[in-house]
Coordinates of all heavy atoms in Angstrom, one line a residue:
M107 N 139.0 209.8 21.9 CA 139.7 208.7 21.2 C 138.7 207.8 20.5 O 139.1 207.2 19.5 CB 140.6 208.0 22.2 CG 141.5 207.0 21.4 SD 143.0 206.5 22.2 CE 142.4 205.3 23.4
F108 N 137.5 207.6 21.1 CA 136.5 206.7 20.4 C 136.2 207.2 19.0 O 136.1 206.4 18.1 CB 135.2 206.7 21.2 CG 135.4 205.8 22.5 CD1 135.4 206.4 23.7 CD2 135.4 204.5 22.4 CE1 135.6 205.7 24.9 CE2 135.5 203.7 23.6 CZ 135.6 204.3 24.8
R109 N 136.1 208.5 18.8 CA 135.8 209.1 17.5 C 137.0 208.8 16.6 O 136.7 208.4 15.4 CB 135.6 210.6 17.6 CG 135.4 211.2 16.2 CD 135.2 212.7 16.3 NE 133.8 212.9 16.7 CZ 133.3 214.0 17.2 NH1 134.1 215.0 17.4 NH2 132.0 214.1 17.5
E110 N 138.2 208.9 17.0 CA 139.4 208.6 16.1 C 139.4 207.1 15.7 O 139.7 206.8 14.6 CB 140.7 209.0 16.8 CG 140.9 210.5 16.9 CD 142.2 210.8 17.4 OE1 142.8 210.1 18.3 OE2 142.8 211.8 17.0
I111 N 139.0 206.3 16.6 CA 138.9 204.8 16.3 C 137.9 204.6 15.3 O 138.1 203.9 14.3 CB 138.7 204.0 17.6 CG1 140.0 204.0 18.5 CG2 138.4 202.5 17.2 CD1 139.8 203.4 19.8
T112 N 136.7 205.1 15.5 CA 135.6 204.8 14.6 C 135.8 205.4 13.2 O 135.4 204.9 12.2 CB 134.2 205.3 15.1 OG1 134.3 206.6 15.4 CG2 133.9 204.5 16.4
Q113 N 136.5 206.6 13.2 CA 136.8 207.2 11.9 C 137.9 206.4 11.1 O 137.9 206.6 9.9 CB 137.2 208.7 12.1 CG 136.1 209.6 12.5 CD 136.6 211.0 12.8 OE1 137.8 211.2 13.0 NE2 135.7 211.9 12.9
A114 N 138.7 205.7 11.8 CA 139.8 204.9 11.1 C 139.3 203.6 10.5 O 140.0 203.0 9.8 CB 140.9 204.6 12.1
V115 N 138.1 203.2 10.8 CA 137.6 201.9 10.4 C 137.3 201.9 8.9 O 136.5 202.7 8.4 CB 136.3 201.5 11.2 CG1 135.7 200.1 10.6 CG2 136.6 201.4 12.6
P116 N 138.0 201.0 8.1 CA 137.7 201.0 6.7 C 136.4 200.4 6.3 O 135.7 199.8 7.2 CB 138.8 200.0 6.1 CG 139.7 199.7 7.3 CD 139.0 200.1 8.5
K117 N 136.0 200.5 5.1 CA 134.6 200.1 4.6 C 134.4 198.6 4.8 O 133.4 198.1 5.1 CB 134.4 200.5 3.2 CG 134.2 202.0 3.0 CD 134.0 202.3 1.5 CE 133.9 203.8 1.3 NZ 133.6 204.1 0.0
N118 N 135.5 197.8 4.6 CA 135.4 196.3 4.6 C 135.5 195.7 6.0 O 135.7 194.5 6.1 CB 136.4 195.7 3.7 CG 136.1 196.1 2.2 OD1 135.0 196.5 1.9 ND2 137.1 196.0 1.4
V119 N 135.5 196.6 7.1 CA 135.6 196.1 8.4 C 134.3 196.4 9.2 O 133.8 197.6 9.1 CB 136.8 196.7 9.2 CG1 136.7 196.5 10.7 CG2 138.1 196.2 8.6
V120 N 133.8 195.5 9.9 CA 132.6 195.7 10.8 C 133.1 195.9 12.2 O 133.8 194.9 12.7 CB 131.6 194.6 10.7 CG1 130.5 194.8 11.7 CG2 131.1 194.4 9.3
L121 N 132.9 197.0 12.8 CA 133.3 197.2 14.2 C 132.3 196.5 15.1 O 131.1 196.8 15.1 CB 133.4 198.7 14.5 CG 134.0 199.1 15.8 CD1 135.5 198.7 15.9 CD2 133.9 200.6 16.0
V122 N 132.7 195.6 16.0 CA 131.8 194.9 16.8 C 131.7 195.5 18.2 O 130.7 195.5 18.9 CB 132.2 193.4 16.9 CG1 131.4 192.6 17.9 CG2 132.2 192.7 15.6
G123 N 132.9 196.0 18.7 CA 132.9 196.6 20.0 C 134.2 197.2 20.4 O 135.2 197.0 19.8
I124 N 134.1 198.1 21.4 CA 135.3 198.7 22.0 C 135.2 198.6 23.5 O 134.2 199.0 24.0 CB 135.5 200.2 21.6 CG1 135.5 200.4 20.1 CG2 136.7 200.8 22.2 CD1 135.5 201.8 19.6
R125 N 136.2 198.1 24.1 CA 136.2 197.9 25.6 C 137.5 198.3 26.2 O 138.5 198.3 25.5 CB 135.7 196.5 26.0 CG 136.7 195.4 25.5 CD 136.2 194.0 25.9 NE 136.8 193.0 25.1 CZ 138.0 192.5 25.4 NH1 138.7 193.0 26.4 NH2 138.6 191.5 24.7
T126 N 137.5 198.5 27.5 CA 138.7 198.8 28.2 C 139.4 197.4 28.5 O 138.8 196.5 28.8 CB 138.4 199.5 29.5 OG1 137.7 200.7 29.3 CG2 139.7 199.8 30.3
S127 N 140.7 197.4 28.3 CA 141.5 196.2 28.6 C 141.4 195.9 30.1 O 141.4 196.8 31.0 CB 143.0 196.4 28.2 OG 143.8 195.4 28.7
E128 N 141.4 194.6 30.4 CA 141.4 194.2 31.8 C 142.7 194.5 32.5 O 142.7 194.6 33.8 CB 141.0 192.7 31.9 CG 139.6 192.5 31.4 CD 139.3 191.0 31.4 OE1 140.1 190.2 31.8 OE2 138.2 190.7 30.9
Q129 N 143.8 194.5 31.8 CA 145.1 194.7 32.4 C 145.5 196.2 32.6 O 146.3 196.5 33.5 CB 146.2 194.0 31.5 CG 146.2 192.6 31.5 CD 145.2 191.9 30.6 OE1 144.7 192.6 29.6 NE2 144.7 190.7 30.9
D130 N 145.0 197.1 31.7 CA 145.4 198.5 31.8 C 144.3 199.4 31.3 O 143.8 199.2 30.2 CB 146.7 198.6 30.8 CG 147.2 200.0 30.7 OD1 146.8 200.9 31.5 OD2 148.1 200.2 29.9
Y131 N 143.9 200.3 32.1 CA 142.8 201.2 31.8 C 143.3 202.2 30.7 O 142.4 203.0 30.2 CB 142.3 202.0 33.0 CG 141.6 201.1 33.9 CD1 142.1 200.8 35.2 CD2 140.4 200.4 33.5 CE1 141.4 199.9 36.1 CE2 139.7 199.6 34.4 CZ 140.2 199.3 35.6 OH 139.6 198.5 36.5
N132 N 144.5 202.3 30.4 CA 145.0 203.2 29.3 C 145.0 202.5 28.0 O 145.4 203.1 27.0 CB 146.5 203.6 29.6 CG 146.8 204.9 29.0 OD1 146.0 205.8 28.8 ND2 148.1 205.0 28.6
T133 N 144.5 201.3 27.9 CA 144.4 200.5 26.7 C 143.0 200.1 26.4 O 142.3 199.6 27.3 CB 145.3 199.2 26.9 OG1 146.6 199.6 27.2 CG2 145.3 198.4 25.6
L134 N 142.6 200.3 25.1 CA 141.3 199.8 24.7 C 141.5 198.6 23.8 O 142.5 198.4 23.1 CB 140.6 200.9 23.9 CG 140.3 202.2 24.6 CD1 139.7 203.2 23.7 CD2 139.3 201.9 25.7
V135 N 140.5 197.8 23.7 CA 140.5 196.6 22.8 C 139.4 196.8 21.8 O 138.2 197.0 22.2 CB 140.3 195.3 23.6 CG1 140.2 194.1 22.6 CG2 141.4 195.1 24.6
V136 N 139.8 196.9 20.5 CA 138.8 197.1 19.4 C 138.5 195.7 18.9 O 139.4 195.0 18.4 CB 139.4 198.0 18.4 CG1 138.5 198.1 17.2 CG2 139.7 199.4 19.0
E137 N 137.3 195.3 18.8 CA 136.8 194.1 18.3 C 136.1 194.3 16.9 O 135.3 195.2 16.8 CB 135.9 193.4 19.2 CG 136.4 193.1 20.6 CD 135.4 192.6 21.6 OE1 134.4 192.0 21.1 OE2 135.6 192.8 22.8
G138 N 136.5 193.5 15.9 CA 135.8 193.7 14.6 C 135.8 192.4 13.8 O 136.3 191.3 14.3
Q139 N 135.3 192.5 12.6 CA 135.2 191.4 11.7 C 135.5 191.9 10.3 O 135.2 193.0 9.9 CB 133.8 190.7 11.7 CG 133.5 190.1 13.0 CD 132.1 189.5 13.0 OE1 131.2 189.9 12.2 NE2 131.9 188.5 13.8
S140 N 136.2 191.0 9.5 CA 136.5 191.3 8.1 C 136.6 190.0 7.3 O 136.9 189.0 7.9 CB 137.8 192.1 8.0 OG 138.1 192.4 6.6
I141 N 136.3 190.1 6.1 CA 136.4 188.9 5.2 C 137.9 188.7 4.8 O 138.4 187.6 4.6 CB 135.5 189.0 4.0 CG1 134.1 189.0 4.5 CG2 135.7 187.9 3.0 CD1 133.0 189.3 3.5
E142 N 138.6 189.9 4.6 CA 140.0 189.8 4.1 C 141.0 190.4 5.2 O 140.6 191.1 6.1 CB 140.1 190.7 2.9 CG 139.2 190.2 1.7 CD 139.2 191.1 0.5 OE1 139.8 192.2 0.6 OE2 138.6 190.7 -0.5
D143 N 142.3 190.1 5.0 CA 143.3 190.5 5.9 C 143.6 192.0 5.7 O 143.9 192.7 6.7 CB 144.6 189.7 5.7 CG 144.5 188.3 6.2 OD1 143.6 188.0 7.1 OD2 145.3 187.5 5.8
R144 N 143.6 192.5 4.5 CA 144.1 193.8 4.1 C 143.4 194.9 4.9 O 144.0 195.8 5.4 CB 144.0 194.0 2.6 CG 144.6 195.3 2.2 CD 146.1 195.3 2.2 NE 146.7 196.4 2.9 CZ 147.9 196.5 3.3 NH1 148.8 195.6 2.9 NH2 148.3 197.5 4.0
P145 N 142.0 194.9 5.0 CA 141.4 195.9 5.7 C 141.8 196.0 7.2 O 141.8 197.0 7.8 CB 139.9 195.6 5.6 CG 139.8 194.8 4.3 CD 141.1 194.0 4.3
I146 N 142.1 194.8 7.8 CA 142.5 194.8 9.2 C 143.9 195.5 9.3 O 144.1 196.3 10.2 CB 142.6 193.3 9.7 CG1 141.2 192.7 9.6 CG2 143.2 193.3 11.1 CD1 141.2 191.2 9.8
I147 N 144.8 195.2 8.4 CA 146.1 195.9 8.4 C 145.9 197.3 8.2 O 146.6 198.2 8.8 CB 147.0 195.2 7.3 CG1 147.3 193.8 7.6 CG2 148.3 196.0 7.1 CD1 147.9 193.0 6.5
D148 N 145.0 197.7 7.3 CA 144.8 199.2 7.0 C 144.2 199.8 8.3 O 144.6 201.0 8.6 CB 143.8 199.3 5.9 CG 144.3 198.9 4.5 OD1 145.6 198.8 4.4 OD2 143.5 198.7 3.6
L149 N 143.4 199.2 9.0 CA 142.9 199.7 10.3 C 144.0 199.9 11.3 O 144.1 201.0 11.9 CB 141.8 198.8 10.9 CG 141.3 199.2 12.2 CD1 140.7 200.6 12.3 CD2 140.2 198.2 12.7
I150 N 144.9 199.0 11.4 CA 146.0 199.1 12.4 C 146.9 200.3 12.0 O 147.3 201.1 12.8 CB 146.8 197.8 12.5 CG1 145.9 196.7 13.1 CG2 148.1 198.0 13.3 CD1 146.5 195.3 13.0
D151 N 147.2 200.4 10.7 CA 148.0 201.5 10.2 C 147.4 202.8 10.4 O 148.0 203.8 10.8 CB 148.3 201.3 8.7 CG 149.3 200.2 8.4 OD1 149.9 199.7 9.3 OD2 149.3 199.7 7.2
A152 N 146.0 202.9 10.2 CA 145.3 204.1 10.4 C 145.3 204.5 11.9 O 145.5 205.7 12.2 CB 143.9 204.0 9.9
L153 N 145.1 203.6 12.7 CA 145.2 203.8 14.2 C 146.5 204.3 14.6 O 146.7 205.3 15.4 CB 144.7 202.6 15.0 CG 143.3 202.2 14.8 CD1 143.0 200.8 15.5 CD2 142.3 203.2 15.4
N154 N 147.6 203.7 14.1 CA 148.9 204.1 14.5 C 149.3 205.5 14.0 O 150.3 206.1 14.5 CB 150.0 203.0 14.0 CG 150.0 201.9 14.9 OD1 150.1 202.0 16.1 ND2 150.1 200.7 14.4
S155 N 148.6 206.0 13.0 CA 148.9 207.3 12.5 C 148.2 208.4 13.3 O 148.4 209.6 13.1 CB 148.5 207.4 11.0 OG 147.1 207.5 10.9
K156 N 147.3 208.1 14.2 CA 146.6 209.1 15.0 C 147.5 209.6 16.2 O 148.2 208.9 16.8 CB 145.3 208.4 15.7 CG 144.3 207.8 14.7 CD 143.7 208.9 13.9 CE 142.7 208.3 12.9 NZ 142.1 209.3 12.1
E157 N 147.3 210.9 16.4 CA 148.1 211.6 17.4 C 147.9 211.1 18.8 O 148.8 211.1 19.7 CB 147.9 213.1 17.3 CG 148.5 213.7 16.1 CD 148.3 215.3 16.1 OE1 148.1 215.8 17.2 OE2 148.5 215.8 15.0
T158 N 146.7 210.7 19.2 CA 146.4 210.3 20.5 C 146.6 208.8 20.8 O 146.4 208.4 21.9 CB 144.9 210.6 20.8 OG1 144.1 209.9 19.9 CG2 144.6 212.1 20.8
I159 N 147.1 208.1 19.8 CA 147.4 206.7 20.0 C 148.8 206.4 19.9 O 149.5 206.8 19.0 CB 146.6 205.9 18.9 CG1 145.1 206.0 19.1 CG2 147.0 204.4 18.9 CD1 144.3 205.4 18.0
E160 N 149.3 205.8 21.0 CA 150.7 205.4 21.1 C 151.1 204.2 20.2 O 152.0 204.2 19.5 CB 151.1 205.2 22.6 CG 152.6 204.9 22.8 CD 152.9 204.7 24.2 OE1 152.4 205.5 25.0 OE2 153.7 203.8 24.6
K161 N 150.2 203.2 20.3 CA 150.5 201.9 19.6 C 149.2 201.2 19.4 O 148.4 201.0 20.4 CB 151.5 201.1 20.3 CG 151.9 199.8 19.6 CD 152.9 199.0 20.3 CE 153.3 197.8 19.5 NZ 154.2 196.9 20.2
A162 N 149.0 200.6 18.2 CA 147.9 199.7 17.9 C 148.5 198.5 17.3 O 149.3 198.5 16.5 CB 146.9 200.4 16.9
S163 N 148.0 197.3 17.9 CA 148.6 196.0 17.4 C 147.5 194.9 17.5 O 146.7 195.0 18.4 CB 149.8 195.6 18.2 OG 149.6 195.6 19.5
L164 N 147.6 194.0 16.6 CA 146.7 192.8 16.6 C 147.0 191.9 17.8 O 148.1 191.5 18.0 CB 146.9 192.1 15.3 CG 145.9 190.9 15.0 CD1 144.5 191.5 14.8 CD2 146.4 190.1 13.8
V165 N 145.9 191.6 18.5 CA 146.1 190.8 19.7 C 145.7 189.3 19.3 O 146.5 188.4 19.6 CB 145.1 191.2 20.8 CG1 145.2 190.3 22.0 CG2 145.5 192.6 21.3
N166 N 144.6 189.1 18.6 CA 144.3 187.8 18.1 C 143.3 187.9 16.9 O 142.7 188.9 16.7 CB 143.8 186.9 19.2 CG 142.4 187.2 19.7 OD1 141.5 187.3 18.8 ND2 142.1 187.3 20.9
M167 N 143.3 186.8 16.2 CA 142.4 186.7 15.1 C 142.0 185.3 14.9 O 142.9 184.4 15.0 CB 143.0 187.2 13.8 CG 142.1 187.2 12.6 SD 142.8 188.1 11.1 CE 144.2 187.0 10.7
K168 N 140.7 185.0 14.6 CA 140.3 183.7 14.3 C 139.3 183.7 13.2 O 138.6 184.7 13.0 CB 139.7 183.0 15.6 CG 138.5 183.7 16.1 CD 138.0 183.1 17.4 CE 136.8 183.9 18.0 NZ 136.4 183.3 19.3
V169 N 139.3 182.6 12.4 CA 138.4 182.5 11.3 C 137.2 181.7 11.7 O 137.3 180.6 12.3 CB 139.1 181.8 10.1 CG1 138.1 181.7 8.9 CG2 140.3 182.6 9.7
Q170 N 136.0 182.3 11.4 CA 134.7 181.6 11.7 C 134.0 181.5 10.4 O 134.0 182.4 9.6 CB 133.9 182.4 12.7 CG 134.5 182.7 14.0 CD 133.7 183.6 14.9 OE1 133.2 184.6 14.4 NE2 133.5 183.3 16.1
T171 N 133.3 180.3 10.2 CA 132.4 180.2 9.1 C 131.0 180.6 9.4 O 130.4 180.1 10.4 CB 132.5 178.7 8.6 OG1 133.8 178.3 8.3 CG2 131.6 178.5 7.4
V172 N 130.5 181.5 8.7 CA 129.2 182.1 8.9 C 128.3 181.5 7.8 O 128.5 181.6 6.6 CB 129.2 183.6 8.8 CG1 127.8 184.1 9.0 CG2 130.1 184.2 9.9
N173 N 127.2 180.9 8.2 CA 126.2 180.3 7.3 C 125.1 181.3 7.1 O 124.5 181.8 8.0 CB 125.7 179.0 7.8 CG 126.8 177.9 7.9 OD1 127.6 177.8 7.0 ND2 126.8 177.2 9.0
S174 N 124.7 181.5 5.8 CA 123.6 182.3 5.4 C 122.8 181.6 4.4 O 123.1 181.6 3.2 CB 124.1 183.6 4.9 OG 123.0 184.4 4.4
G175 N 121.7 180.9 4.8 CA 121.0 180.1 3.9 C 121.8 178.9 3.4 O 122.4 178.1 4.2
E176 N 121.9 178.8 2.1 CA 122.7 177.7 1.5 C 124.2 178.1 1.4 O 125.0 177.3 1.0 CB 122.1 177.3 0.1 CG 120.8 176.7 0.2 CD 120.2 176.4 -1.2 OE1 121.0 176.4 -2.2 OE2 119.0 176.1 -1.3
N177 N 124.5 179.4 1.6 CA 125.8 179.9 1.4 C 126.6 180.0 2.7 O 126.0 180.2 3.8 CB 125.8 181.3 0.8 CG 125.1 181.3 -0.6 OD1 125.3 180.4 -1.3 ND2 124.4 182.4 -0.8
S178 N 127.9 179.8 2.7 CA 128.7 179.9 3.9 C 129.9 180.8 3.5 O 130.4 180.7 2.3 CB 129.1 178.6 4.4 OG 130.0 177.9 3.6
R179 N 130.4 181.5 4.4 CA 131.5 182.4 4.2 C 132.4 182.5 5.4 O 132.0 182.5 6.5 CB 131.0 183.8 3.8 CG 132.0 184.9 3.7 CD 131.4 186.2 3.3 NE 131.8 186.3 1.9 CZ 131.3 187.2 1.1 NH1 130.4 188.0 1.5 NH2 131.7 187.3 -0.1
D180 N 133.7 182.5 5.2 CA 134.7 182.6 6.3 C 134.8 184.1 6.6 O 135.1 184.9 5.8 CB 136.1 182.0 5.9 CG 136.1 180.5 5.8 OD1 135.1 179.9 6.4 OD2 137.0 180.0 5.2
V181 N 134.7 184.4 7.9 CA 134.8 185.7 8.4 C 136.0 185.7 9.5 O 136.0 184.8 10.3 CB 133.5 186.2 9.1 CG1 133.7 187.6 9.7 CG2 132.4 186.2 8.0
K182 N 136.8 186.7 9.4 CA 137.9 186.9 10.4 C 137.5 187.8 11.5 O 137.2 189.0 11.3 CB 139.2 187.4 9.7 CG 139.6 186.4 8.6 CD 140.7 187.0 7.7 CE 140.9 185.9 6.6 NZ 142.1 186.0 6.0
S183 N 137.4 187.2 12.7 CA 137.1 188.0 13.9 C 138.4 188.4 14.5 O 139.3 187.5 14.6 CB 136.3 187.3 14.9 OG 135.0 187.0 14.3
F184 N 138.6 189.6 14.9 CA 139.9 190.1 15.4 C 139.7 191.0 16.6 O 138.7 191.6 16.9 CB 140.7 190.8 14.3 CG 140.1 192.0 13.8 CD1 140.3 193.2 14.4 CD2 139.2 192.0 12.7 CE1 139.7 194.4 13.9 CE2 138.6 193.1 12.2 CZ 138.9 194.3 12.8
E185 N 140.8 191.1 17.4 CA 141.0 192.1 18.4 C 142.3 192.9 18.3 O 143.3 192.3 18.0 CB 141.0 191.4 19.8 CG 139.7 190.8 20.2 CD 139.7 190.2 21.6 OE1 140.8 190.0 22.1 OE2 138.6 189.8 22.1
I186 N 142.2 194.2 18.4 CA 143.3 195.1 18.3 C 143.5 195.8 19.6 O 142.5 196.4 20.1 CB 143.1 196.1 17.1 CG1 143.0 195.4 15.8 CG2 144.3 197.1 17.1 CD1 142.7 196.3 14.6
S187 N 144.7 195.8 20.1 CA 145.0 196.5 21.3 C 145.4 197.9 20.9 O 146.2 198.1 20.1 CB 146.1 195.8 22.1 OG 146.6 196.6 23.1
V188 N 144.8 198.9 21.6 CA 145.0 200.3 21.2 C 145.5 201.0 22.5 O 144.7 201.2 23.5 CB 143.8 201.0 20.7 CG1 144.1 202.5 20.3 CG2 143.3 200.3 19.4
I189 N 146.7 201.4 22.6 CA 147.3 202.1 23.8 C 147.3 203.6 23.5 O 147.8 204.1 22.5 CB 148.7 201.6 24.0 CG1 148.8 200.1 24.2 CG2 149.3 202.4 25.2 CD1 150.2 199.5 24.3
A190 N 146.6 204.3 24.4 CA 146.5 205.8 24.3 C 147.7 206.4 24.8 O 148.4 206.0 25.7 CB 145.3 206.2 25.1
K191 N 148.1 207.6 24.2 CA 149.2 208.4 24.7 C 148.7 209.1 25.9 O 147.5 209.4 26.1 CB 149.6 209.4 23.6 CG 150.4 208.8 22.5 CD 150.8 209.9 21.5 CE 151.6 209.3 20.4 NZ 152.0 210.3 19.4
D192 N 149.6 209.5 26.8 CA 149.2 210.3 27.9 C 148.8 211.7 27.4 O 149.5 212.3 26.7 CB 150.4 210.5 28.9 CG 150.8 209.2 29.6 OD1 149.9 208.4 29.8 OD2 151.9 209.0 29.9
I193 N 147.6 212.0 27.7 CA 147.1 213.3 27.2 C 147.0 214.4 28.3 O 146.6 215.5 28.1 CB 145.6 213.1 26.6 CG1 144.7 212.5 27.6 CG2 145.7 212.3 25.4 CD1 143.3 212.4 27.2
I194 N 147.5 214.0 29.5 CA 147.6 215.0 30.6 C 148.9 215.7 30.5 O 149.9 215.0 30.6 CB 147.4 214.3 32.0 CG1 146.0 213.6 32.1 CG2 147.6 215.3 33.1 CD1 145.8 212.8 33.3
P195 N 148.9 217.0 30.3 CA 150.2 217.7 30.2 C 151.1 217.6 31.5 O 150.5 217.6 32.6 CB 149.9 219.1 29.9 CG 148.4 219.2 30.3 CD 147.8 217.9 30.3
E196 N 152.4 217.4 31.3 CA 153.3 217.4 32.4 C 153.4 218.8 33.1 O 153.4 219.8 32.4 CB 154.7 216.9 32.0 CG 154.6 215.5 31.5 CD 156.0 215.0 31.2 OE1 157.0 215.6 31.7 OE2 156.2 214.0 30.4
E197 N 153.5 218.8 34.4 CA 153.7 220.1 35.1 C 155.1 220.5 35.0 O 156.0 219.6 35.1 CB 153.2 219.9 36.5 CG 151.7 219.7 36.6 CD 151.3 219.7 38.1 OE1 152.0 220.2 39.0 OE2 150.2 219.1 38.3
N198 N 155.4 221.7 34.9 CA 156.8 222.2 34.9 C 157.3 222.5 36.3 O 156.8 222.8 37.2 CB 156.9 223.5 34.1 CG 156.5 223.2 32.6 OD1 156.8 222.2 32.1 ND2 156.0 224.2 31.9

């Protein structure tokens, strides 16, 4: 599933980390940054289209100002909850 997540990341998104949710081991939290909203929405849509993912949704987002020399830019840091589908086949 890590490969599917990393392949779904659009060009305008920086993936910061992937961790297991503290509430549920079947859920991953994808952390990233983007300057615009659209790439974040595209990432969620791409994740929801994957066969091994039951549901991907935005958990939180905050805007941080990043200073680079004399320039400053607003960056959106976000977390997406990714719930995996059960991949263990049911016994008959």
